[in-house]
């Protein structure tokens, strides 16, 4: 299985070209799909990488391909890139959203396999991980034909079960906020052990000093969520990009 962390040095900057950007608080410009970002250099690296938030591109900071970009570049297309071989550009760009979802799913399955409480599901989790990796290893044509949403719907119940088993031992109320609209909600210091925030909108929410042990953050939108002082011990399915989107440092007022 290939790595599940982005390695930009081995990618042809697919995330800087394939998706469209809409001018917003996340992106300073409008960019059509398939057109390189104006900040992209000839070496496929970002010219303002160290200053993305200050230059109006916080959306780039929190994006995570989970290693999909380098797998497409190095494995699916054998090290070729859309500049030197423009005839493959369309297929490369179309592969990114599919591969990214598969690699994200692999990341969740890998995390679930680390849960002692879910050891009874280990065989099923390992089988799902192997199957997902096999799909991700397909050709560009196979990736394009894959109904990735339907596949995720097949695997998600297994991940939910792993989450339920882990959260059941957390104590607390294990409140269910799945899919909830919690934008700007004040929950400072709350006992949220074992809570489910799957798919919740927590933009700008105040979770300072909250007890979030074994809380599930699968797919939650944490842009601007204040997590300073929160107890994140053994938190479930909190991705690196979610952490980057949240407020966690002491340098914030």
């Amino acid at each position: 299985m290939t790595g599940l962390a982005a390695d930009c040095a081995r990618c042809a900057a697919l995330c800087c070209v394939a998706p469209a950007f809409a001018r917003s608080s996340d992106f300073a410009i409008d960019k059509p799909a398939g057109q390189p970002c104006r900040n992209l250099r000839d070496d496929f690296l970002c010219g303002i990488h160290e200053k993305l938030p200050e230059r109006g591109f916080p959306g780039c900071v929190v994006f995570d391909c989970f290693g999909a970009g380098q797998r497409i570049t190095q494995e699916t297309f054998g090290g070729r890139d859309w500049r030197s071989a423009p005839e493959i550009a369309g297929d490369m760009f179309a592969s990114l959203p599919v591969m990214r979802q598969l690699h994200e799913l692999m990341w969740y399955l890998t995390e679930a396999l680390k849960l002692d409480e879910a050891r009874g599901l280990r065989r099923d989790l390992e089988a799902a991980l192997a199957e997902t990796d096999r799909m991700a290893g397909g050709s560009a044509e196979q990736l394009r034909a894959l109904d990735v949403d339907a596949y995720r719907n097949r695997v998600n119940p297994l991940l939910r079960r792993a989450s339920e088993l882990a959260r059941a031992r957390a104590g607390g109320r294990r409140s269910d906020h799945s899919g909830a609209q919690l934008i700007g909600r004040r929950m400072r210091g709350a006992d949220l052990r074992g809570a489910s925030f799957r798919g919740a909108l927590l933009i700008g929410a105040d979770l300072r000093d909250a007890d979030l042990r074994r809380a599930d953050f699968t797919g939650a939108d944490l842009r601007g969520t204040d997590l300073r002082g929160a107890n994140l011990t053994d938190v479930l399915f909190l991705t690196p990009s979610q952490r980057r989107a949240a407020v966690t440092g002491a340098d914030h007022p």
Side-chain angles (χ1 to χ4, degrees):
M1 186 177 69
T2 57
L4 300 177
D7 183 352
C8 297
R10 301 183 66 239
C11 177
L14 299 184
C15 66
C16 302
V17 187
F21 299 166
R23 187 188 297 269
S24 64
S25 59
D26 289 324
F27 300 102
I29 60 172
D30 291 320
K31 186 194 81 64
Q35 177 177 307
C37 174
R38 69 186 186 192
N39 300 308
L40 183 62
R41 302 187 320 204
D42 291 341
D43 61 359
F44 295 116
L45 297 178
C46 176
I48 61 168
H49 185 265
E50 303 303 323
K51 300 179 180 179
L52 283 167
E54 295 89 340
R55 298 288 290 273
F57 291 88
C60 297
V61 177
V62 301
F63 177 80
D64 192 346
C65 76
F66 294 93
Q70 70 258 24
R71 186 166 192 177
I72 292 170
T73 303
Q74 301 299 329
E75 183 177 325
T76 312
F77 289 91
R80 293 178 293 165
D81 66 78
W82 51 271
R83 275 189 177 141
S84 60
E87 68 277 7
I88 68 173
D91 285 339
M92 286 194 87
F93 301 157
S95 297
L96 180 60
V98 178
M99 184 74 82
R100 184 194 175 279
Q101 288 199 63
L102 292 174
H103 268 228
E104 181 183 31
L105 193 56
M106 289 163 63
W107 186 90
Y108 285 128
L109 288 165
T110 301
E111 291 298 300
L113 280 165
K114 299 175 184 177
L115 301 174
D116 289 338
E117 300 92 337
R119 56 185 176 273
L121 301 176
R122 186 171 185 83
R123 181 175 297 180
D124 290 338
L125 289 167
E126 288 177 338
L129 180 59
E131 182 181 14
T132 309
D133 189 33
R134 179 186 60 77
M135 289 181 173
S139 66
E141 292 75 18
Q142 291 171 325
L143 288 170
R144 191 166 56 246
L146 179 63
D147 188 342
V148 70
D149 290 332
Y151 180 66
R152 288 189 71 129
N153 287 337
R154 282 175 46 201
V155 177
N156 273 335
L158 180 60
L159 289 170
R160 286 180 180 272
R161 180 58 181 153
S163 172
E164 290 166 359
L165 290 170
R167 292 188 295 113
R169 295 188 180 181
R173 297 172 56 190
R174 299 197 301 277
S175 51
D176 189 355
H177 300 288
S178 301
Q181 300 277 344
L182 300 172
I183 298 173
R185 182 70 62 87
R186 296 179 180 178
M187 293 180 280
R188 184 172 187 174
D191 182 355
L192 295 166
R193 285 174 292 165
S196 174
F197 291 103
R198 293 178 65 94
L201 293 180
L202 285 158
I203 301 170
D206 185 356
L207 287 170
R208 285 175 293 171
D209 305 315
D211 191 342
L212 296 169
R213 285 174 289 176
R214 276 303 196 239
D216 184 346
F217 283 97
T218 303
D221 192 334
L222 299 182
R223 285 176 293 171
T225 306
D226 199 335
L227 293 175
R228 288 175 296 174
N231 189 341
L232 297 172
T233 304
D234 296 327
V235 69
L236 302 175
F237 306 123
L238 183 65
T239 68
S241 61
Q242 285 174 311
R243 290 179 184 269
R244 291 194 297 270
V247 176
T248 58
D251 55 332
H252 290 82

